[in-house]
Amino acid sequence: MDWVILISAGVLEAVWATALGASNGLRRLRPSIVFLAAMIVSVWGLAVAMQTIPTGTAYAVWTATGASLTVAWAMLRGTEPVTVLRMLLLLGIVGCVVGLKVVS
């Protein structure tokens, strides 16, 4: 169950990162509220997961999940370019996260 919580927290990291970008420096109310709420729940989920998952593994999975989903979402929305190299690098991040899960 802690792995589900950890991955969910990583997804929420992508939500808060995207909302932070949309908040215009925390000047827009709705994205700022989404940012704060998602950040609190995301960090809470990381803390819960770290009770049974080693700290280094949990943090790496959390940040990699959030980072890769944030970039993927930006590419889907057209705000970041989609290239073969960028896709391969994102797959590399995901592969490393899966590898951490396998060996932990």
Side-chain angles (χ1 to χ4, degrees):
M1 184 63 177
D2 286 329
W3 280 99
V4 172
I5 292 170
L6 180 60
I7 297 300
S8 299
V11 171
L12 285 172
E13 184 188 3
V15 170
W16 70 251
T18 302
L20 181 60
S23 75
N24 192 26
L26 298 177
R27 291 185 184 100
R28 296 182 56 220
L29 182 61
R30 185 171 291 176
S32 297
I33 291 170
V34 171
F35 159 71
L36 288 171
M39 183 180 64
I40 289 167
V41 176
S42 177
V43 172
W44 172 82
L46 174 63
V48 168
M50 287 172 68
Q51 292 176 1
T52 60
I53 300 170
T55 299
T57 300
Y59 186 71
V61 169
W62 182 68
T63 56
T65 302
S68 59
L69 289 176
T70 301
V71 172
W73 179 250
M75 289 192 304
L76 284 171
R77 293 186 67 217
T79 57
E80 291 198 26
V82 179
T83 66
V84 172
L85 182 57
R86 290 171 65 90
M87 295 300 294
L88 289 173
L89 291 168
L90 283 175
L91 288 173
I93 292 171
V94 172
C96 289
V97 169
V98 170
L100 283 172
K101 166 64 173 123
V102 169
V103 300
S104 68

PDB file of all heavy atoms in Angstrom, residues 40-74:
ATOM      1  N   ILE A  40       0.810  19.922  -0.064  1.00  0.00           N
ATOM      2  CA  ILE A  40       0.648  19.394   1.290  1.00  0.00           C
ATOM      3  C   ILE A  40       0.353  17.899   1.250  1.00  0.00           C
ATOM      4  O   ILE A  40       0.983  17.103   1.953  1.00  0.00           O
ATOM      5  CB  ILE A  40      -0.449  20.164   2.045  1.00  0.00           C
ATOM      6  CG1 ILE A  40       0.045  21.578   2.372  1.00  0.00           C
ATOM      7  CG2 ILE A  40      -0.873  19.429   3.311  1.00  0.00           C
ATOM      8  CD1 ILE A  40      -1.042  22.522   2.832  1.00  0.00           C
ATOM      9  N   VAL A  41      -0.579  17.498   0.411  1.00  0.00           N
ATOM     10  CA  VAL A  41      -0.946  16.077   0.329  1.00  0.00           C
ATOM     11  C   VAL A  41       0.204  15.256  -0.247  1.00  0.00           C
ATOM     12  O   VAL A  41       0.467  14.136   0.200  1.00  0.00           O
ATOM     13  CB  VAL A  41      -2.247  15.884  -0.481  1.00  0.00           C
ATOM     14  CG1 VAL A  41      -2.574  14.415  -0.649  1.00  0.00           C
ATOM     15  CG2 VAL A  41      -3.407  16.613   0.193  1.00  0.00           C
ATOM     16  N   SER A  42       0.933  15.821  -1.215  1.00  0.00           N
ATOM     17  CA  SER A  42       2.056  15.119  -1.824  1.00  0.00           C
ATOM     18  C   SER A  42       3.157  14.848  -0.807  1.00  0.00           C
ATOM     19  O   SER A  42       3.670  13.719  -0.707  1.00  0.00           O
ATOM     20  CB  SER A  42       2.604  15.940  -2.995  1.00  0.00           C
ATOM     21  OG  SER A  42       3.718  15.325  -3.569  1.00  0.00           O
ATOM     22  N   VAL A  43       3.531  15.856  -0.049  1.00  0.00           N
ATOM     23  CA  VAL A  43       4.588  15.683   0.949  1.00  0.00           C
ATOM     24  C   VAL A  43       4.118  14.749   2.067  1.00  0.00           C
ATOM     25  O   VAL A  43       4.887  13.929   2.564  1.00  0.00           O
ATOM     26  CB  VAL A  43       5.056  17.046   1.495  1.00  0.00           C
ATOM     27  CG1 VAL A  43       6.010  16.884   2.664  1.00  0.00           C
ATOM     28  CG2 VAL A  43       5.718  17.855   0.382  1.00  0.00           C
ATOM     29  N   TRP A  44       2.860  14.844   2.441  1.00  0.00           N
ATOM     30  CA  TRP A  44       2.304  13.928   3.444  1.00  0.00           C
ATOM     31  C   TRP A  44       2.399  12.484   2.943  1.00  0.00           C
ATOM     32  O   TRP A  44       2.808  11.586   3.678  1.00  0.00           O
ATOM     33  CB  TRP A  44       0.849  14.283   3.765  1.00  0.00           C
ATOM     34  CG  TRP A  44       0.188  13.272   4.630  1.00  0.00           C
ATOM     35  CD1 TRP A  44       0.273  13.162   5.986  1.00  0.00           C
ATOM     36  CD2 TRP A  44      -0.653  12.201   4.197  1.00  0.00           C
ATOM     37  NE1 TRP A  44      -0.466  12.082   6.415  1.00  0.00           N
ATOM     38  CE2 TRP A  44      -1.044  11.474   5.341  1.00  0.00           C
ATOM     39  CE3 TRP A  44      -1.107  11.789   2.941  1.00  0.00           C
ATOM     40  CZ2 TRP A  44      -1.863  10.355   5.265  1.00  0.00           C
ATOM     41  CZ3 TRP A  44      -1.932  10.678   2.877  1.00  0.00           C
ATOM     42  CH2 TRP A  44      -2.291   9.981   4.026  1.00  0.00           C
ATOM     43  N   GLY A  45       2.038  12.253   1.677  1.00  0.00           N
ATOM     44  CA  GLY A  45       2.128  10.909   1.109  1.00  0.00           C
ATOM     45  C   GLY A  45       3.554  10.399   1.097  1.00  0.00           C
ATOM     46  O   GLY A  45       3.812   9.227   1.396  1.00  0.00           O
ATOM     47  N   LEU A  46       4.502  11.265   0.771  1.00  0.00           N
ATOM     48  CA  LEU A  46       5.910  10.884   0.814  1.00  0.00           C
ATOM     49  C   LEU A  46       6.300  10.487   2.232  1.00  0.00           C
ATOM     50  O   LEU A  46       6.960   9.464   2.440  1.00  0.00           O
ATOM     51  CB  LEU A  46       6.791  12.035   0.315  1.00  0.00           C
ATOM     52  CG  LEU A  46       8.302  11.841   0.440  1.00  0.00           C
ATOM     53  CD1 LEU A  46       8.770  10.669  -0.415  1.00  0.00           C
ATOM     54  CD2 LEU A  46       9.025  13.128   0.050  1.00  0.00           C
ATOM     55  N   ALA A  47       5.883  11.263   3.211  1.00  0.00           N
ATOM     56  CA  ALA A  47       6.211  10.972   4.615  1.00  0.00           C
ATOM     57  C   ALA A  47       5.628   9.633   5.059  1.00  0.00           C
ATOM     58  O   ALA A  47       6.303   8.844   5.740  1.00  0.00           O
ATOM     59  CB  ALA A  47       5.713  12.095   5.515  1.00  0.00           C
ATOM     60  N   VAL A  48       4.409   9.353   4.670  1.00  0.00           N
ATOM     61  CA  VAL A  48       3.770   8.077   5.024  1.00  0.00           C
ATOM     62  C   VAL A  48       4.539   6.922   4.389  1.00  0.00           C
ATOM     63  O   VAL A  48       4.843   5.923   5.043  1.00  0.00           O
ATOM     64  CB  VAL A  48       2.286   8.066   4.601  1.00  0.00           C
ATOM     65  CG1 VAL A  48       1.696   6.673   4.692  1.00  0.00           C
ATOM     66  CG2 VAL A  48       1.483   9.044   5.444  1.00  0.00           C
ATOM     67  N   ALA A  49       4.849   7.047   3.114  1.00  0.00           N
ATOM     68  CA  ALA A  49       5.543   5.977   2.395  1.00  0.00           C
ATOM     69  C   ALA A  49       6.930   5.720   2.977  1.00  0.00           C
ATOM     70  O   ALA A  49       7.395   4.579   3.013  1.00  0.00           O
ATOM     71  CB  ALA A  49       5.641   6.313   0.911  1.00  0.00           C
ATOM     72  N   MET A  50       7.573   6.770   3.475  1.00  0.00           N
ATOM     73  CA  MET A  50       8.926   6.627   4.000  1.00  0.00           C
ATOM     74  C   MET A  50       8.966   5.872   5.328  1.00  0.00           C
ATOM     75  O   MET A  50      10.052   5.549   5.818  1.00  0.00           O
ATOM     76  CB  MET A  50       9.586   8.007   4.147  1.00  0.00           C
ATOM     77  CG  MET A  50       9.970   8.594   2.801  1.00  0.00           C
ATOM     78  SD  MET A  50      10.534  10.308   2.889  1.00  0.00           S
ATOM     79  CE  MET A  50      12.061  10.103   3.758  1.00  0.00           C
ATOM     80  N   GLN A  51       7.825   5.552   5.869  1.00  0.00           N
ATOM     81  CA  GLN A  51       7.811   4.747   7.089  1.00  0.00           C
ATOM     82  C   GLN A  51       8.226   3.307   6.801  1.00  0.00           C
ATOM     83  O   GLN A  51       8.736   2.624   7.687  1.00  0.00           O
ATOM     84  CB  GLN A  51       6.430   4.781   7.736  1.00  0.00           C
ATOM     85  CG  GLN A  51       6.080   6.139   8.288  1.00  0.00           C
ATOM     86  CD  GLN A  51       4.673   6.200   8.835  1.00  0.00           C
ATOM     87  OE1 GLN A  51       3.935   5.217   8.829  1.00  0.00           O
ATOM     88  NE2 GLN A  51       4.283   7.363   9.320  1.00  0.00           N
ATOM     89  N   THR A  52       8.007   2.846   5.567  1.00  0.00           N
ATOM     90  CA  THR A  52       8.359   1.462   5.219  1.00  0.00           C
ATOM     91  C   THR A  52       9.293   1.357   4.018  1.00  0.00           C
ATOM     92  O   THR A  52       9.896   0.310   3.812  1.00  0.00           O
ATOM     93  CB  THR A  52       7.094   0.624   4.924  1.00  0.00           C
ATOM     94  OG1 THR A  52       6.403   1.211   3.823  1.00  0.00           O
ATOM     95  CG2 THR A  52       6.191   0.550   6.133  1.00  0.00           C
ATOM     96  N   ILE A  53       9.398   2.402   3.222  1.00  0.00           N
ATOM     97  CA  ILE A  53      10.272   2.399   2.050  1.00  0.00           C
ATOM     98  C   ILE A  53      11.511   3.214   2.411  1.00  0.00           C
ATOM     99  O   ILE A  53      11.388   4.302   2.981  1.00  0.00           O
ATOM    100  CB  ILE A  53       9.552   3.010   0.825  1.00  0.00           C
ATOM    101  CG1 ILE A  53       8.290   2.204   0.481  1.00  0.00           C
ATOM    102  CG2 ILE A  53      10.489   3.075  -0.376  1.00  0.00           C
ATOM    103  CD1 ILE A  53       7.388   2.861  -0.540  1.00  0.00           C
ATOM    104  N   PRO A  54      12.710   2.710   2.096  1.00  0.00           N
ATOM    105  CA  PRO A  54      13.925   3.458   2.425  1.00  0.00           C
ATOM    106  C   PRO A  54      13.881   4.891   1.886  1.00  0.00           C
ATOM    107  O   PRO A  54      13.386   5.140   0.780  1.00  0.00           O
ATOM    108  CB  PRO A  54      15.040   2.658   1.758  1.00  0.00           C
ATOM    109  CG  PRO A  54      14.481   1.279   1.616  1.00  0.00           C
ATOM    110  CD  PRO A  54      13.006   1.448   1.411  1.00  0.00           C
ATOM    111  N   THR A  55      14.419   5.812   2.653  1.00  0.00           N
ATOM    112  CA  THR A  55      14.342   7.236   2.328  1.00  0.00           C
ATOM    113  C   THR A  55      14.866   7.549   0.926  1.00  0.00           C
ATOM    114  O   THR A  55      14.198   8.239   0.154  1.00  0.00           O
ATOM    115  CB  THR A  55      15.128   8.060   3.368  1.00  0.00           C
ATOM    116  OG1 THR A  55      14.539   7.833   4.650  1.00  0.00           O
ATOM    117  CG2 THR A  55      15.096   9.545   3.047  1.00  0.00           C
ATOM    118  N   GLY A  56      16.041   7.071   0.591  1.00  0.00           N
ATOM    119  CA  GLY A  56      16.613   7.367  -0.717  1.00  0.00           C
ATOM    120  C   GLY A  56      15.756   6.858  -1.859  1.00  0.00           C
ATOM    121  O   GLY A  56      15.532   7.561  -2.844  1.00  0.00           O
ATOM    122  N   THR A  57      15.261   5.643  -1.718  1.00  0.00           N
ATOM    123  CA  THR A  57      14.405   5.063  -2.753  1.00  0.00           C
ATOM    124  C   THR A  57      13.104   5.839  -2.864  1.00  0.00           C
ATOM    125  O   THR A  57      12.666   6.193  -3.968  1.00  0.00           O
ATOM    126  CB  THR A  57      14.117   3.581  -2.450  1.00  0.00           C
ATOM    127  OG1 THR A  57      15.356   2.871  -2.414  1.00  0.00           O
ATOM    128  CG2 THR A  57      13.208   2.966  -3.494  1.00  0.00           C
ATOM    129  N   ALA A  58      12.477   6.112  -1.727  1.00  0.00           N
ATOM    130  CA  ALA A  58      11.189   6.824  -1.735  1.00  0.00           C
ATOM    131  C   ALA A  58      11.339   8.203  -2.364  1.00  0.00           C
ATOM    132  O   ALA A  58      10.528   8.603  -3.212  1.00  0.00           O
ATOM    133  CB  ALA A  58      10.645   6.933  -0.316  1.00  0.00           C
ATOM    134  N   TYR A  59      12.380   8.919  -1.971  1.00  0.00           N
ATOM    135  CA  TYR A  59      12.565  10.274  -2.502  1.00  0.00           C
ATOM    136  C   TYR A  59      12.854  10.238  -3.999  1.00  0.00           C
ATOM    137  O   TYR A  59      12.318  11.048  -4.764  1.00  0.00           O
ATOM    138  CB  TYR A  59      13.684  10.993  -1.753  1.00  0.00           C
ATOM    139  CG  TYR A  59      13.817  12.431  -2.169  1.00  0.00           C
ATOM    140  CD1 TYR A  59      12.849  13.360  -1.814  1.00  0.00           C
ATOM    141  CD2 TYR A  59      14.895  12.844  -2.950  1.00  0.00           C
ATOM    142  CE1 TYR A  59      12.966  14.684  -2.219  1.00  0.00           C
ATOM    143  CE2 TYR A  59      15.014  14.156  -3.354  1.00  0.00           C
ATOM    144  CZ  TYR A  59      14.046  15.076  -2.983  1.00  0.00           C
ATOM    145  OH  TYR A  59      14.162  16.384  -3.393  1.00  0.00           O
ATOM    146  N   ALA A  60      13.682   9.296  -4.425  1.00  0.00           N
ATOM    147  CA  ALA A  60      13.996   9.184  -5.854  1.00  0.00           C
ATOM    148  C   ALA A  60      12.749   8.852  -6.672  1.00  0.00           C
ATOM    149  O   ALA A  60      12.515   9.432  -7.736  1.00  0.00           O
ATOM    150  CB  ALA A  60      15.070   8.120  -6.075  1.00  0.00           C
ATOM    151  N   VAL A  61      11.935   7.932  -6.189  1.00  0.00           N
ATOM    152  CA  VAL A  61      10.707   7.563  -6.891  1.00  0.00           C
ATOM    153  C   VAL A  61       9.747   8.744  -6.928  1.00  0.00           C
ATOM    154  O   VAL A  61       9.146   9.043  -7.961  1.00  0.00           O
ATOM    155  CB  VAL A  61      10.055   6.322  -6.241  1.00  0.00           C
ATOM    156  CG1 VAL A  61       8.665   6.080  -6.778  1.00  0.00           C
ATOM    157  CG2 VAL A  61      10.940   5.095  -6.448  1.00  0.00           C
ATOM    158  N   TRP A  62       9.600   9.437  -5.803  1.00  0.00           N
ATOM    159  CA  TRP A  62       8.690  10.584  -5.703  1.00  0.00           C
ATOM    160  C   TRP A  62       9.081  11.680  -6.679  1.00  0.00           C
ATOM    161  O   TRP A  62       8.253  12.174  -7.449  1.00  0.00           O
ATOM    162  CB  TRP A  62       8.711  11.089  -4.268  1.00  0.00           C
ATOM    163  CG  TRP A  62       7.823  12.236  -3.941  1.00  0.00           C
ATOM    164  CD1 TRP A  62       6.454  12.240  -3.905  1.00  0.00           C
ATOM    165  CD2 TRP A  62       8.229  13.553  -3.561  1.00  0.00           C
ATOM    166  NE1 TRP A  62       6.004  13.480  -3.512  1.00  0.00           N
ATOM    167  CE2 TRP A  62       7.068  14.300  -3.302  1.00  0.00           C
ATOM    168  CE3 TRP A  62       9.479  14.156  -3.405  1.00  0.00           C
ATOM    169  CZ2 TRP A  62       7.108  15.633  -2.899  1.00  0.00           C
ATOM    170  CZ3 TRP A  62       9.518  15.484  -2.997  1.00  0.00           C
ATOM    171  CH2 TRP A  62       8.344  16.208  -2.757  1.00  0.00           C
ATOM    172  N   THR A  63      10.361  12.058  -6.672  1.00  0.00           N
ATOM    173  CA  THR A  63      10.791  13.146  -7.546  1.00  0.00           C
ATOM    174  C   THR A  63      10.783  12.732  -9.020  1.00  0.00           C
ATOM    175  O   THR A  63      10.404  13.525  -9.873  1.00  0.00           O
ATOM    176  CB  THR A  63      12.196  13.657  -7.169  1.00  0.00           C
ATOM    177  OG1 THR A  63      13.111  12.566  -7.207  1.00  0.00           O
ATOM    178  CG2 THR A  63      12.204  14.298  -5.805  1.00  0.00           C
ATOM    179  N   ALA A  64      11.186  11.504  -9.299  1.00  0.00           N
ATOM    180  CA  ALA A  64      11.200  11.053 -10.694  1.00  0.00           C
ATOM    181  C   ALA A  64       9.787  10.965 -11.258  1.00  0.00           C
ATOM    182  O   ALA A  64       9.556  11.325 -12.418  1.00  0.00           O
ATOM    183  CB  ALA A  64      11.896   9.700 -10.800  1.00  0.00           C
ATOM    184  N   THR A  65       8.859  10.480 -10.444  1.00  0.00           N
ATOM    185  CA  THR A  65       7.461  10.410 -10.893  1.00  0.00           C
ATOM    186  C   THR A  65       6.938  11.807 -11.186  1.00  0.00           C
ATOM    187  O   THR A  65       6.368  12.068 -12.254  1.00  0.00           O
ATOM    188  CB  THR A  65       6.584   9.718  -9.830  1.00  0.00           C
ATOM    189  OG1 THR A  65       7.089   8.412  -9.580  1.00  0.00           O
ATOM    190  CG2 THR A  65       5.138   9.630 -10.279  1.00  0.00           C
ATOM    191  N   GLY A  66       7.142  12.708 -10.248  1.00  0.00           N
ATOM    192  CA  GLY A  66       6.666  14.074 -10.438  1.00  0.00           C
ATOM    193  C   GLY A  66       7.324  14.768 -11.617  1.00  0.00           C
ATOM    194  O   GLY A  66       6.659  15.411 -12.430  1.00  0.00           O
ATOM    195  N   ALA A  67       8.624  14.631 -11.719  1.00  0.00           N
ATOM    196  CA  ALA A  67       9.348  15.307 -12.798  1.00  0.00           C
ATOM    197  C   ALA A  67       8.952  14.769 -14.164  1.00  0.00           C
ATOM    198  O   ALA A  67       8.698  15.546 -15.095  1.00  0.00           O
ATOM    199  CB  ALA A  67      10.851  15.155 -12.586  1.00  0.00           C
ATOM    200  N   SER A  68       8.903  13.457 -14.298  1.00  0.00           N
ATOM    201  CA  SER A  68       8.583  12.885 -15.609  1.00  0.00           C
ATOM    202  C   SER A  68       7.148  13.201 -16.017  1.00  0.00           C
ATOM    203  O   SER A  68       6.889  13.509 -17.184  1.00  0.00           O
ATOM    204  CB  SER A  68       8.851  11.379 -15.632  1.00  0.00           C
ATOM    205  OG  SER A  68       8.088  10.714 -14.658  1.00  0.00           O
ATOM    206  N   LEU A  69       6.218  13.160 -15.067  1.00  0.00           N
ATOM    207  CA  LEU A  69       4.829  13.496 -15.406  1.00  0.00           C
ATOM    208  C   LEU A  69       4.665  14.984 -15.712  1.00  0.00           C
ATOM    209  O   LEU A  69       3.870  15.351 -16.586  1.00  0.00           O
ATOM    210  CB  LEU A  69       3.883  13.079 -14.285  1.00  0.00           C
ATOM    211  CG  LEU A  69       3.681  11.581 -14.132  1.00  0.00           C
ATOM    212  CD1 LEU A  69       2.800  11.281 -12.920  1.00  0.00           C
ATOM    213  CD2 LEU A  69       3.077  10.971 -15.390  1.00  0.00           C
ATOM    214  N   THR A  70       5.420  15.824 -15.022  1.00  0.00           N
ATOM    215  CA  THR A  70       5.351  17.260 -15.297  1.00  0.00           C
ATOM    216  C   THR A  70       5.829  17.549 -16.717  1.00  0.00           C
ATOM    217  O   THR A  70       5.176  18.294 -17.464  1.00  0.00           O
ATOM    218  CB  THR A  70       6.203  18.055 -14.283  1.00  0.00           C
ATOM    219  OG1 THR A  70       5.718  17.783 -12.964  1.00  0.00           O
ATOM    220  CG2 THR A  70       6.132  19.546 -14.546  1.00  0.00           C
ATOM    221  N   VAL A  71       6.930  16.949 -17.110  1.00  0.00           N
ATOM    222  CA  VAL A  71       7.454  17.153 -18.465  1.00  0.00           C
ATOM    223  C   VAL A  71       6.502  16.547 -19.499  1.00  0.00           C
ATOM    224  O   VAL A  71       6.211  17.168 -20.531  1.00  0.00           O
ATOM    225  CB  VAL A  71       8.869  16.560 -18.609  1.00  0.00           C
ATOM    226  CG1 VAL A  71       9.338  16.595 -20.056  1.00  0.00           C
ATOM    227  CG2 VAL A  71       9.839  17.305 -17.718  1.00  0.00           C
ATOM    228  N   ALA A  72       6.007  15.346 -19.231  1.00  0.00           N
ATOM    229  CA  ALA A  72       5.086  14.699 -20.171  1.00  0.00           C
ATOM    230  C   ALA A  72       3.832  15.544 -20.374  1.00  0.00           C
ATOM    231  O   ALA A  72       3.358  15.709 -21.505  1.00  0.00           O
ATOM    232  CB  ALA A  72       4.722  13.305 -19.674  1.00  0.00           C
ATOM    233  N   TRP A  73       3.297  16.084 -19.294  1.00  0.00           N
ATOM    234  CA  TRP A  73       2.092  16.923 -19.389  1.00  0.00           C
ATOM    235  C   TRP A  73       2.393  18.187 -20.207  1.00  0.00           C
ATOM    236  O   TRP A  73       1.591  18.590 -21.058  1.00  0.00           O
ATOM    237  CB  TRP A  73       1.582  17.283 -17.991  1.00  0.00           C
ATOM    238  CG  TRP A  73       0.373  18.160 -18.012  1.00  0.00           C
ATOM    239  CD1 TRP A  73       0.298  19.458 -17.646  1.00  0.00           C
ATOM    240  CD2 TRP A  73      -0.948  17.795 -18.445  1.00  0.00           C
ATOM    241  NE1 TRP A  73      -0.977  19.925 -17.810  1.00  0.00           N
ATOM    242  CE2 TRP A  73      -1.761  18.929 -18.306  1.00  0.00           C
ATOM    243  CE3 TRP A  73      -1.507  16.617 -18.930  1.00  0.00           C
ATOM    244  CZ2 TRP A  73      -3.117  18.911 -18.638  1.00  0.00           C
ATOM    245  CZ3 TRP A  73      -2.861  16.612 -19.258  1.00  0.00           C
ATOM    246  CH2 TRP A  73      -3.641  17.738 -19.111  1.00  0.00           C
ATOM    247  N   ALA A  74       3.540  18.788 -19.965  1.00  0.00           N
ATOM    248  CA  ALA A  74       3.908  19.987 -20.719  1.00  0.00           C
ATOM    249  C   ALA A  74       4.073  19.669 -22.209  1.00  0.00           C
ATOM    250  O   ALA A  74       3.678  20.463 -23.069  1.00  0.00           O
ATOM    251  CB  ALA A  74       5.194  20.587 -20.153  1.00  0.00           C
TER     252      ALA A  74
END
